[in-house]
Amino acid sequence: MPRIASVLLPMPLPEAFDYAEPEGLELAVGDHVSVPLGPRTVRGVVTALRDGVGGNRRLKPVLNRVDDPRLPANVITFVEWAARYSVDVPGWPLAMALRGLRHPPAKPEKAVALTGVQPGRMTPARLKVLAAAQAGPLSAAELARQAGVSAGVVKGLVDEGALEPVLVAADESIAQPDLTLPAQTLNPSQKAAADEMADMLAAGGFQAALLDGVTGSGKTEVYLEVAAAALEADPAAQVLVLLPEIALTQAVMGRFEQRFGAAPIEWHSGVSPPRRRRAWEAVADGRARIVVGARSALFLPFTNLALIVVDEEHDGSFKQEEGFIYQARDLAVARAKIEGALVVLASATPSLESLWNAHQGRYRWLRLGARHGTAQLPDVHLIDMRATPPEPGRWLSPTLVKAVSLTLQKGEQSLLFLNRRGYAPLVLCRACGEKLKSPDSDSWLVEHRYTGRLVCHLTGFSMKKPEACPHCGAKDSLVSIGPGVERVEEEARYLFPDARIAVFSSDTVFDPAGARALVDSMAAGEIDILVATQAAAKGHNFPNLTLVGVIDADLSLRGGDLRAGERTFQLLAQATGRAGRHEKPGRAYLQTYSPEHAVLQALKAQDRDAFVEAEMAMREEAGLPPFGRLAAVIASGPDAEALEAYVQTLAAATPNAEGVEVYGPADAPLGLVRGRRRKRFLVRAGRNVDLPGFMAAWRARAKIPNSVRVTIDIDPYSFL
Ligand code: ADP
């Protein structure tokens, strides 16, 4: 009986296409195949097979099978689920799942092997070679080295037929975790949490846990033991750990290496294509038992995934905002469901969504209430910048300056935290008042002194800082407004000329190795003052760091989107949580112009529960997540009229659905980006509404003009 293969292509197409299975090819679901698409030949994956020959138009045949490891059926299910959830085409998540295959497989290596033929003339040198070759194929050079003879001897044996050239697979050995190494002795609350999760693993099937422990309580130690339990219980089990930052990946890789004697597989955008290929294959065939990576590791071809850990689960970086839009925390739970695995969400400041799920009993709630050992949470002080302002043109208040000097005197380390890259966030002309903007975009240019350039952080546009105002032509009239980390560094150097000062931001640290070097030198005490953006504020463990100063605690409260309070609390609790993680007590100072704000009061009192309760009440009142669902439509285009006509048509086509409210269209706060105007709708729905279904149906009701691009963002984090 002839069969039809549904082939999904990693491209923006609405569904899988049907092709005929040629006789004798014997395809299976998950096979990689080449198929014709119009005039082109493209690669895809077989997602289903059924008997039949198609309708009255003959189907084109599959051309051939590509010899790559099969995509597991669970990954196909996951890709389809993710596409539906994100209201996007399945080709995008498929492309993510195939990312490791872009690089060709490692080529087999040339070697020589014994044939059994005896050479005509035997010499002591030849005997040594034949003896060394007993162990199996080796490269000619290696064989000569092992036998201690010249290359000519080996060549002579090949010429006489005693050895023959063969191809062997490239070395793909992957270090395996050593489960006999001793575990860290857990303290009683860590042990209780680890035991409970080990029991959940033993029970099997999909389960979820929220590992909720203050900074420094030892959450990492706990999930290392849960990973050990998973790997021990099943010799084929695989473990995935997701982290929000590449810099953190490095630190956690190190902890796993220490615990299991072998480095896990690493997966993120900084990993080279050949290593990605190797990682992908090792995950697919089960040699990779532990993977540590960024959100995209969720799409790897695990065949026996037993445990997913999402560390710093509250972190906004788990939301991918470009290309295929998804929230990795939610997809991690979905993948665990498909795999029948345990998912552990870990954080000191969990998202309100996860806290709500824990509260409702959907996630097992495991709390670690205290820091490990004698370490205490830092004392948090608020500095009222209205009462004790810095000197004009400066950014550190006298109170903070004094605290830093005291810390320096004691030989301890300080972290000055400001979540803003560059030197100054705004450049203004003193003569005409013009603020320098990115061309064709609603975005200020940020001054970077290290490079002498003005940079748009939104579009990547940059230019040399001009000497005259581009608007009025006045010379030397441009002034830098406000601080970024580079400016704080400048001030710190001026105030503490003898201190060793370093800056940690994405402008000073470009890759994982650089991040690791800086983190190591901080941990080794080679830096006195670290000026850092959020890249350094999370997760890290610096034993001698006892002071954290937050330059602008109000920064992320401005703008006031729905998560502003939550995000500020999380970020500052993380940043202040870097201080005093070992024996020495820590202090944190938050500079603020609104010390009475509920978020700052909660940080000072270290009362997360009160903050969460107040925030939850407010969200419930307004029907916002986690009590309701949100989605956004962003339409953009260079032609203002066509865009306006489209959003009006879309508005008029809004389906009538119970429990759904649609707001808009409105000009987006970022109304212009790269010459494209932007409009937004916001949709709010009850928890029981199928919001992806509603959005898909709505979008289908209005034809999208060629010049307009429409993006649907389920559970938006950015409202720009
Ligand atoms: P978290 O992930 O909760 O921020 P970590 O796991 O990084 O905390 O632990 C903080 C510090 O305490 C680390 O230096 C860690 O090695 C140490 N620590 C935590 N638990 C233990 C333990 N049971 N025994 C020894 N050291 C521990």
Side-chain angles (χ1 to χ4, degrees):
M1 183 74 176
R3 294 198 298 174
I4 300 173
S6 302
V7 177
L8 187 60
L9 305 172
M11 303 176 178
L13 299 166
E15 58 193 359
F17 290 165
D18 283 348
Y19 291 89
E21 178 187 38
E23 209 166 316
L25 199 56
E26 305 285 341
L27 291 171
V29 167
D31 275 346
H32 305 267
V33 290
S34 295
V35 292
L37 181 72
R40 291 190 294 159
T41 299
V42 293
R43 259 190 76 148
V45 171
V46 177
T47 55
L49 287 155
R50 63 183 194 278
D51 290 338
V53 289
N56 33 19
R57 266 196 30 223
R58 261 193 51 217
L59 289 176
K60 289 187 179 158
V62 169
L63 299 174
N64 61 286
R65 182 182 9 238
V66 182
D67 194 18
D68 273 328
R70 207 170 262 166
L71 200 64
N74 278 350
V75 176
I76 296 174
T77 309
F78 178 61
V79 159
E80 287 168 347
W81 192 94
R84 188 180 180 287
Y85 176 86
S86 294
V87 199
D88 209 332
V89 293
W92 286 142
L94 179 69
M96 301 193 56
L98 301 182
R99 203 183 264 174
L101 294 177
R102 281 192 211 146
H103 194 79
K107 286 208 185 73
E109 286 161 4
K110 285 188 193 155
V112 291
L114 289 174
T115 58
V117 175
Q118 288 298 315
R121 182 176 54 88
M122 193 60 93
T123 64
R126 286 185 162 189
L127 263 178
K128 279 193 224 157
V129 172
L130 295 178
Q134 295 283 349
L138 283 173
S139 74
E142 177 61 17
L143 187 56
R145 197 190 64 79
Q146 286 191 13
V149 302
S150 73
V153 183
V154 175
K155 185 169 178 301
L157 286 168
V158 173
D159 291 344
E160 289 193 28
L163 291 172
E164 65 179 349
V166 292
L167 288 175
V168 293
D171 176 25
E172 304 213 321
S173 53
I174 301 262
Q176 293 297 309
D178 180 352
L179 300 178
T180 64
L181 291 176
Q184 187 80 263
T185 313
L186 298 182
N187 68 37
S189 58
Q190 292 173 339
K191 183 156 180 357
D195 286 351
E196 196 157 343
M197 287 188 274
D199 289 347
M200 294 170 83
L201 274 172
F206 165 69
Q207 307 200 54
L210 177 62
L211 179 56
D212 174 2
V214 298
T215 50
S217 57
K219 295 182 290 297
T220 315
E221 298 295 339
V222 171
Y223 72 68
L224 279 168
E225 294 321 311
V226 182
L231 298 174
E232 252 161 45
D234 174 357
Q238 296 174 302
V239 171
L240 168 63
V241 181
L242 294 181
L243 293 156
E245 295 271 342
I246 296 185
L248 270 184
T249 317
Q250 296 300 303
V252 171
M253 294 272 299
R255 303 270 293 260
F256 269 88
E257 192 167 352
Q258 249 177 11
R259 174 64 183 83
F260 297 109
I265 297 285
E266 188 176 6
W267 182 273
H268 51 69
S269 58
V271 173
S272 71
R275 282 182 55 216
R276 271 199 221 182
R277 173 84 198 193
R278 210 168 87 103
W280 200 97
E281 290 180 355
V283 171
D285 66 22
R287 280 172 301 145
R289 300 204 59 206
I290 308 174
V291 177
V292 174
R295 59 193 177 209
S296 59
L298 262 182
F299 293 85
L300 282 169
F302 295 96
T303 49
N304 206 347
L305 192 55
L307 170 67
I308 306 178
V309 177
V310 184
D311 202 355
E312 311 290 354
E313 69 93 33
H314 63 276
D315 199 297
S317 331
F318 281 122
K319 179 80 193 291
Q320 169 147 317
E321 306 268 37
E322 281 183 7
F324 181 63
I325 298 179
Y326 66 96
Q327 163 53 275
R329 181 185 65 229
D330 295 348
L331 286 199
V333 175
R335 177 120 198 218
K337 251 184 214 164
I338 292 169
E339 305 283 347
L342 170 65
V343 60
V344 176
L345 309 179
S347 174
T349 50
S351 61
L352 290 198
E353 282 84 349
S354 297
L355 283 169
W356 179 245
N357 279 322
H359 196 72
Q360 297 291 297
R362 277 191 285 269
Y363 298 168
R364 195 85 61 95
W365 197 349
L366 304 168
R367 295 195 79 159
L368 304 177
R371 288 197 155 178
H372 177 71
T374 53
Q376 295 291 314
L377 283 169
D379 286 330
V380 178
H381 308 270
L382 302 181
I383 299 177
D384 185 341
M385 297 289 270
R386 296 165 306 193
T388 48
E391 289 172 30
R394 302 267 190 81
W395 313 100
L396 304 187
S397 72
T399 319
L400 183 53
V401 173
K402 204 161 123 210
V404 176
S405 343
L406 276 175
T407 308
L408 280 170
Q409 275 167 27
K410 283 194 279 181
E412 296 171 2
Q413 293 170 306
S414 306
L415 170 74
L416 296 178
F417 174 74
L418 176 61
N419 203 16
R420 207 191 256 141
R421 293 163 49 203
Y423 183 83
L426 182 66
V427 176
L428 173 126
C429 171
R430 215 172 0 199
C432 71
E434 178 81 356
K435 297 170 186 161
L436 300 196
K437 259 180 158 186
S438 182
D440 300 334
S441 300
D442 276 343
S443 168
W444 309 129
L445 288 173
V446 177
E447 180 178 1
H448 285 244
R449 283 265 165 109
Y450 296 157
T451 54
R453 297 185 79 80
L454 305 182
V455 181
C456 172
H457 288 183
L458 185 70
T459 63
F461 167 85
S462 84
M463 62 190 253
K464 207 168 149 340
K465 187 180 177 188
E467 285 178 4
C469 170
H471 191 65
C472 71
K475 278 222 149 204
D476 299 324
S477 67
L478 296 178
V479 282
S480 316
I481 308 290
V485 276
E486 292 178 12
R487 198 167 199 172
V488 172
E489 183 207 10
E490 183 182 84
E491 184 168 338
R493 285 196 192 284
Y494 171 78
L495 291 167
F496 312 107
D498 298 328
R500 296 164 300 170
I501 300 175
V503 176
F504 194 149
S505 84
S506 56
D507 299 302
T508 59
V509 172
F510 308 101
D511 57 10
R516 192 162 196 163
L518 195 52
V519 166
D520 286 350
S521 96
M522 181 72 184
E526 292 158 14
I527 295 167
D528 299 315
I529 302 174
L530 185 64
V531 183
T533 62
Q534 60 171 342
K538 306 170 186 173
H540 296 295
N541 221 342
F542 302 125
N544 201 34
L545 173 63
T546 57
L547 174 71
V548 171
V550 175
I551 305 302
D552 184 354
D554 309 329
L555 182 59
S556 61
L557 282 172
R558 292 179 207 126
D561 70 73
L562 111 95
R563 287 190 181 80
E566 183 187 0
R567 206 171 38 234
T568 304
F569 184 85
Q570 288 163 342
L571 188 60
L572 298 186
Q574 286 290 336
T576 56
R578 291 314 103 205
R581 285 167 69 91
H582 288 250
E583 297 79 36
K584 295 172 191 157
R587 293 168 312 287
Y589 288 87
L590 310 183
Q591 299 194 142
T592 171
Y593 286 91
S594 47
E596 63 290 339
H597 196 290
V599 170
L600 290 155
Q601 287 297 323
L603 284 161
K604 176 171 151 66
Q606 311 226 17
D607 192 348
R608 189 194 86 189
D609 292 347
F611 168 74
V612 166
E613 203 176 308
E615 191 76 12
M616 284 276 194
M618 192 222 39
R619 301 264 187 103
E620 184 164 21
E621 174 82 27
L624 292 171
F627 300 93
R629 291 160 182 274
L630 293 181
V633 177
I634 304 109
S636 68
D639 176 347
E641 261 172 47
L643 180 65
E644 187 59 32
Y646 170 71
V647 292
Q648 291 307 335
T649 314
L650 189 65
T654 311
N656 242 329
E658 201 163 321
V660 181
E661 295 148 34
V662 174
Y663 305 95
D667 287 334
L670 265 179
L672 184 68
V673 176
R674 293 187 184 94
R676 299 176 74 89
R677 304 201 166 274
R678 300 169 79 248
K679 295 264 181 183
R680 295 183 70 106
F681 291 88
L682 185 66
V683 181
R684 187 173 69 113
R687 282 192 65 90
N688 50 352
V689 172
D690 170 14
L691 189 54
F694 173 86
M695 299 301 288
W698 182 22
R699 181 180 52 192
R701 286 177 154 207
K703 189 174 175 320
I704 303 174
N706 281 337
S707 66
V708 173
R709 193 156 45 198
V710 178
T711 306
I712 292 180
D713 185 356
I714 297 287
D715 195 17
Y717 277 56
S718 158
F719 295 83
L720 300 173

